Amino acid sequence: MSTLLAVDGGNSKTDVLVLSSDGTVLARGRGGPFVPQSAGVPAAADVLEEAVRQALGPGATPPYADRMAAYLAGADLPAEEEALAAEFGARGFARDIVVGNDTFALLRAGASGPSGVAVVCGAGINAVGVSPTGQVARFPAIGPLVGDWGGGVGLTNEVMWHAARAEDGRGGPTALVGLVTSHFGAPTVEQVAFDVYFGRLDPLRLLELTAGLFEVAAAGDEIAISLVTRMADEIVGMARVCLTRLDLLETPTEVVLGGGVLRARHPLLMDLLDARFVTHTPAAKPVVTDTPPIVGAALNGLDALGTTEEAEARLRAQF
């Protein structure tokens, strides 16, 4: 029986599973953030290897499985996928290695089969689509330079921008000022900005403002509502582009929604999404999934091994 090393590497943590080809999970592990863009490919591979050894024990040596299916944040472009696969191969992680973007794992985790569209809205935002014939639609997803907007980082940067301008008079009034100062216990928004600028506050902590943004919007703040509305537009817009490229706009197709911002199911965002899907992609079947992407990574690996529906059911039952 073949063994599979499945990996879901994200901006906040790295999950690994070792499983047999019948879908039985043999070991699980978790490591730190997988961030090859900032840490470099070798350092990111170190994080992954530590997670594997957590699963299999400190004395584990490569190859860790017959096949490796790694779906990773930071694998946004073919060159990045190739560089990561080459590093994993050089370390002997597995005899057969496949590397893809983590959004493909979300799609397989939340859809009823290997085709459909997935939009992830977590720290960042990205989308992919796979047609029933295997055609793929995707985005570069490397940030504002290629038109990306939103996700937790994008939203909280906007919160800080609007709050700072409201505080100093360049912008209109907004309750986001109080959100920022009260959350960080600071006298002013400017002080929070200075703390980030001088390294006294980890910029990733700004992500803590995301839930508060939705609360302020729900209370009727116009600027906060405009940010949530734009987020809904971006999510549906990315899904529509994928469906259009795959000639599926008029075909009933699952659109899997995942990532922390979407899994939170903020009522205002969900209402806006429902209305926009009906208007712009009426054949789409949106579904918010709570199934962890590591399950999708494992399912993609099992698909490649040609395993049975029983293996998929066995794997899903363990989660």
Side-chain angles (χ1 to χ4, degrees), residues 61-212:
T61 58
Y64 303 113
D66 298 311
R67 181 178 180 85
M68 179 180 187
Y71 292 86
L72 311 165
D76 297 305
L77 303 172
E80 292 170 327
E81 293 173 344
E82 292 167 7
L84 289 163
E87 180 70 21
F88 301 157
R91 297 184 184 217
F93 277 12
R95 297 180 181 87
D96 184 19
I97 297 172
V98 173
V99 173
N101 183 261
D102 58 343
T103 316
F104 288 99
L106 170 66
L107 172 59
R108 189 65 179 89
S112 58
S115 65
V117 169
V119 182
V120 60
C121 188
I125 186 168
N126 196 6
V128 297
V130 180
S131 76
T133 62
Q135 182 183 356
V136 172
R138 61 189 298 185
F139 297 90
I142 58 172
L145 288 174
V146 292
D148 298 336
W149 185 91
V153 171
L155 286 171
T156 52
N157 284 343
E158 292 283 343
V159 167
M160 289 296 297
W161 189 87
H162 283 287
R165 291 172 68 87
E167 184 176 82
D168 69 18
R170 286 178 292 173
T174 173
L176 295 174
V177 174
L179 168 65
V180 174
T181 55
S182 62
H183 183 81
F184 291 110
T188 63
V189 175
E190 184 179 74
Q191 183 61 57
V192 176
F194 284 164
D195 287 343
V196 173
Y197 181 76
F198 287 110
R200 295 188 293 264
L201 181 67
D202 185 344
L204 287 178
R205 287 204 58 203
L206 297 179
L207 288 169
E208 298 169 12
L209 298 171
T210 307

Side-chain angles (χ1 to χ4, degrees), residues 149 151-152 154-156 158-159 174 176 179 208-219 221 223-228 231 261 266 268:
W149 185 91
L155 286 171
T156 52
E158 292 283 343
V159 167
T174 173
L176 295 174
L179 168 65
E208 298 169 12
L209 298 171
T210 307
L213 164 64
F214 287 97
E215 293 173 2
V216 171
D221 184 270
I223 289 177
I225 290 171
S226 73
L227 295 178
V228 177
M231 190 72 266
V261 172
H266 301 288
L268 175 59

Side-chain angles (χ1 to χ4, degrees), residues 10-92:
N11 292 309
S12 59
K13 45 77 181 171
T14 301
D15 282 332
V16 300
L17 291 180
V18 180
L19 62 156
S20 60
S21 55
D22 70 351
T24 300
V25 174
L26 306 174
R28 307 184 190 193
R30 171 166 287 188
F34 189 89
V35 285
Q37 308 97 316
S38 56
V41 169
D46 288 342
V47 169
L48 172 54
E49 194 148 24
E50 179 60 30
V52 173
R53 291 204 173 104
Q54 183 192 104
L56 297 177
T61 58
Y64 303 113
D66 298 311
R67 181 178 180 85
M68 179 180 187
Y71 292 86
L72 311 165
D76 297 305
L77 303 172
E80 292 170 327
E81 293 173 344
E82 292 167 7
L84 289 163
E87 180 70 21
F88 301 157
R91 297 184 184 217

